[in-house]
Amino acid sequence: MDRRDVATWVSGPRAALDAAGIDLGYRGERLGLPEDGVGSITGFGRRLGALMIDWLASALVALLLFPQFVYGSEQSGFATLGVFFVMKSIFTLLGGASFGQRLLGIRVISLDKGYVNLWRAPVRTALICLLVPAVIWDRDGRGLHDRLLVDQLVAFLRQ
C-alpha cells in the first residue's frame, strides 16, 4: 500500500477522478457560466462570510426591535432568525442579494429568468434557515436549497 492510494481517497472524489483522468470541468461550466470573473460561481468562503454578515446584521436589528429579549436567550435567537428570514427574503427579492451578499459582491439569479421571483425568495430563505441544504452543494457549487427549488419547479410544471 502506497501513500498515493490513501491520498486520493482523503483528498475527495474530485481529486480521485482527476487522478483517473476524468475531467469534470470547472464549477458552473454545465450551467453556461464563466470560469471566473463576473457571473461565475462564488466560492464557499465568500458565501460563509455573507451568511455571517447577514446573521450579525439580523442580530443587531433584532436587538433594536425586541429589547425585551435578553441577548443569548432562546427568545432572542428566534427573534434573530425571524429578522434574518424577513431581511434576507426582502433583499433577495428586491435586489437579488442580501445585505452581506451585496457587501461581498455576490448575487442570486435564476438560471431561466435572471432574477428571483416572488415565491422563490422566501422559500429559498426558509431552506437556508434550516442550514442543512445550504451546506450541501453539487459539483457546480449550487446549494441543495437552490437545487430543490429548480427540481420541484420542473416536477410541478410537468404535471
Side-chain angles (χ1 to χ4, degrees), residues 109-149:
I109 62 167
S110 172
L111 291 175
D112 55 348
K113 296 179 183 173
Y115 62 90
V116 181
N117 62 18
L118 184 61
W119 69 270
R120 195 174 284 197
V123 171
R124 181 182 189 276
T125 304
L127 290 171
I128 290 172
C129 287
L130 294 175
L131 193 64
V132 174
V135 296
I136 301 171
W137 56 91
D138 65 4
R139 76 178 199 197
D140 286 317
R142 291 191 312 165
L144 183 60
H145 60 290
D146 289 329
R147 291 292 306 264
L148 285 174
L149 289 175

Side-chain angles (χ1 to χ4, degrees), residues 1-15:
M1 181 174 206
D2 190 1
R3 177 174 126 56
R4 286 174 286 171
D5 295 332
V6 176
T8 58
W9 176 76
V10 172
S11 300
R14 185 173 196 98

Side-chain angles (χ1 to χ4, degrees), residues 28-74:
E29 183 176 17
R30 295 183 310 158
L31 305 173
L33 300 174
E35 186 171 2
D36 52 9
V38 177
S40 64
I41 300 286
T42 302
F44 180 73
R46 288 177 59 189
R47 291 179 190 197
L48 182 63
L51 182 68
M52 293 297 112
I53 291 170
D54 287 338
W55 188 260
L56 180 62
S58 299
L60 292 173
V61 169
L63 187 62
L64 292 173
L65 289 177
F66 307 106
Q68 68 271 25
F69 298 144
V70 177
Y71 187 75
S73 68
E74 186 175 326

Side-chain angles (χ1 to χ4, degrees), residues 78-90:
F78 284 120
T80 301
L81 185 62
V83 169
F84 177 83
F85 175 79
V86 170
M87 282 178 49
K88 192 160 182 73
S89 295
I90 290 173

